[in-house]
Amino acid sequence: MSAEMDEQPAVLRRLLTEGAEAIRATAEAISQKRPRFVLLAARGSSDHAALYAKYLLEVRLGMPCGLSSMSTTTAYGATPRLQDVLVITVSQSGGSPDLVASTQAARAAGAVTLAVTNNPDSALAAVSEHHVDVLAGPERALPATKTYTASLLALYLLAEGLRGGDGAAETAAPVPELAERILARREEVRTLAARYRFAGRMVITSRGFGYPTAREAALKLMETSYIPALAYSGADLLHGPLAMVDNVSPVIAVVTEGRGGEALRPVLDRLRGRGADLVVVGPRPQVEAASAGFVLPVDGLPEELQPVLEILPLQLLAYEVTLARGQDPDAPRALAKVTETH
């Protein structure tokens, strides 16, 4: 896991230099079919990447998007009507039977199908009309790190391609170097991790483009350190779950620099008012107003690209918390690299 986290700047750079043109061409081919709606299908970390794509497509393109319930076809045998619908299936391995079966059913029902994977030879890629390779290289650690950030960047390039823009790779060009700067601050994250060594539970919150990051961070913490980590949209946190937050409850807030971060500010005020142990990943003013945090260097990067960077210190945090608790992040109990669901 440690080595693969460190590979991420190189993976992101490779995707921009070697993969961007192919993604743009795929987006152009899909655009010619004029899909009216998007359905996204995924599991695990890829599900959070799909949620990020949902925000991208709804905000940047104004295109209605939904997250698919694959069991409607695989378990219940429902027959969907998907003419003029784009179905995007996101999967690291492209091997889970339910993803393959639901994509087959979508294509048979008239959908335009696109697989986003790290395996162009996978069963999912074979049954899809279009395929995007995230070019992350073999990922051996059970917790997904480089395939997750590569999927985010690939989906950004795809969304911008569907908009008809041709400058997406140039806009994203600073991302690999910024990622290097973040990953070089491991000692800072190790110090931060000490406060969670004995945590009984954690709450992670964000809004907008940062919400998928909150969900992915919660998964990373649960699958490596076994700490129950609950992820909420800041808006949903106020609708009930805020009651469980007190002065001993660790809360991590992912504050995107932009409209999502602005929308989260009232939530941060409420959390501070409850005396929460609040850690912020985001802009310096918000970090300085919290109990602790990690200042995220975004250097004017558009809000929709910041999730590629936001997750990096949280990957490191999950890794360091796991070590601090005397556990092995490379061998999470009861897990396999390729999870086969039906």
Side-chain angles (χ1 to χ4, degrees), residues 171-342:
T171 302
V175 169
E177 192 268 334
L178 291 169
E180 286 175 344
R181 286 165 53 184
I182 292 169
L183 291 167
R185 294 162 61 187
R186 185 174 293 219
E187 190 59 41
E188 185 179 337
V189 176
R190 187 173 294 126
T191 300
L192 192 60
R195 70 194 304 117
Y196 301 121
R197 183 176 180 182
F198 301 108
R201 70 161 185 250
M202 295 173 66
V203 173
I204 308 176
T205 188
S206 189
R207 288 202 69 178
F209 283 106
Y211 177 46
T213 305
R215 291 185 56 174
E216 172 63 9
L219 176 60
K220 283 290 154 286
L221 283 158
M222 287 189 287
E223 70 182 346
T224 57
S225 70
Y226 317 141
I227 297 174
L230 308 174
Y232 294 101
S233 157
D236 289 332
L237 186 63
L238 298 183
H239 284 264
L242 184 67
M244 71 177 173
V245 176
D246 53 29
N247 60 3
V248 296
S249 301
V251 179
I252 298 175
V254 181
V255 184
T256 304
E257 195 168 283
R259 294 186 183 184
E262 290 296 322
L264 192 63
R265 284 192 178 189
V267 181
L268 300 180
D269 292 340
R270 292 284 298 275
L271 289 168
R272 283 189 286 263
R274 292 190 62 81
D277 177 14
L278 177 62
V279 168
V280 167
V281 174
R284 183 174 298 278
Q286 293 298 333
V287 172
E288 291 176 346
S291 305
F294 187 98
V295 176
L296 196 73
V298 294
D299 293 6
L301 202 68
E303 181 178 1
E304 58 268 19
L305 267 171
Q306 292 175 35
V308 183
L309 302 176
E310 288 168 347
I311 191 59
L312 300 178
L314 295 165
Q315 290 173 347
L316 290 172
L317 182 66
Y319 181 83
E320 295 297 340
V321 168
T322 303
L323 293 182
R325 290 164 70 93
Q327 292 152 200
D328 183 357
D330 287 332
R333 62 194 182 203
L335 297 181
K337 183 59 182 171
V338 178
T339 303
E340 295 191 355
T341 48
H342 296 268

Side-chain angles (χ1 to χ4, degrees), residues 6-293:
D6 287 341
E7 287 178 34
Q8 288 175 107
V11 169
L12 298 170
R13 194 171 284 115
R14 179 165 62 244
L15 189 57
L16 290 172
T17 57
E18 300 178 20
E21 181 55 34
I23 295 173
R24 189 201 61 76
T26 298
E28 183 177 340
I30 292 171
S31 293
Q32 291 175 357
K33 298 175 183 179
R34 302 178 64 84
R36 59 181 173 82
F37 189 89
V38 179
L39 280 176
L40 295 139
R43 298 287 190 197
S45 288
S46 294
D47 195 35
H48 307 146
L51 180 59
Y52 166 74
K54 184 176 188 293
Y55 275 94
L56 278 175
L57 294 167
E58 290 184 344
V59 173
R60 300 289 288 167
L61 281 78
M63 183 176 282
C65 297
L67 297 175
S68 176
S69 300
M70 287 168 283
S71 60
T72 59
T73 55
T74 60
Y76 291 93
T79 303
R81 296 191 298 270
L82 298 176
Q83 291 79 10
D84 303 322
V85 175
L86 169 61
V87 173
I88 302 175
T89 307
V90 187
S91 172
Q92 300 155 33
S93 68
S96 186
D98 59 346
L99 294 171
V100 175
S102 63
T103 301
Q104 283 179 310
R107 191 170 182 180
V112 179
T113 52
L114 167 66
V116 178
T117 82
N118 192 40
N119 183 3
D121 298 320
S122 63
L124 179 60
V127 301
S128 300
E129 183 178 357
H130 302 280
H131 178 255
V132 164
D133 186 353
V134 304
L135 300 176
E139 188 174 60
R140 296 180 176 85
L142 287 174
T145 54
K146 65 179 182 175
T147 53
Y148 178 73
T149 50
S151 295
L152 295 188
L153 185 55
L155 288 163
Y156 168 80
L157 294 171
L158 176 74
E160 291 301 296
L162 292 172
R163 289 182 69 232
D166 58 3
E170 289 76 13
T171 302
V175 169
E177 192 268 334
L178 291 169
E180 286 175 344
R181 286 165 53 184
I182 292 169
L183 291 167
R185 294 162 61 187
R186 185 174 293 219
E187 190 59 41
E188 185 179 337
V189 176
R190 187 173 294 126
T191 300
L192 192 60
R195 70 194 304 117
Y196 301 121
R197 183 176 180 182
F198 301 108
R201 70 161 185 250
M202 295 173 66
V203 173
I204 308 176
T205 188
S206 189
R207 288 202 69 178
F209 283 106
Y211 177 46
T213 305
R215 291 185 56 174
E216 172 63 9
L219 176 60
K220 283 290 154 286
L221 283 158
M222 287 189 287
E223 70 182 346
T224 57
S225 70
Y226 317 141
I227 297 174
L230 308 174
Y232 294 101
S233 157
D236 289 332
L237 186 63
L238 298 183
H239 284 264
L242 184 67
M244 71 177 173
V245 176
D246 53 29
N247 60 3
V248 296
S249 301
V251 179
I252 298 175
V254 181
V255 184
T256 304
E257 195 168 283
R259 294 186 183 184
E262 290 296 322
L264 192 63
R265 284 192 178 189
V267 181
L268 300 180
D269 292 340
R270 292 284 298 275
L271 289 168
R272 283 189 286 263
R274 292 190 62 81
D277 177 14
L278 177 62
V279 168
V280 167
V281 174
R284 183 174 298 278
Q286 293 298 333
V287 172
E288 291 176 346
S291 305

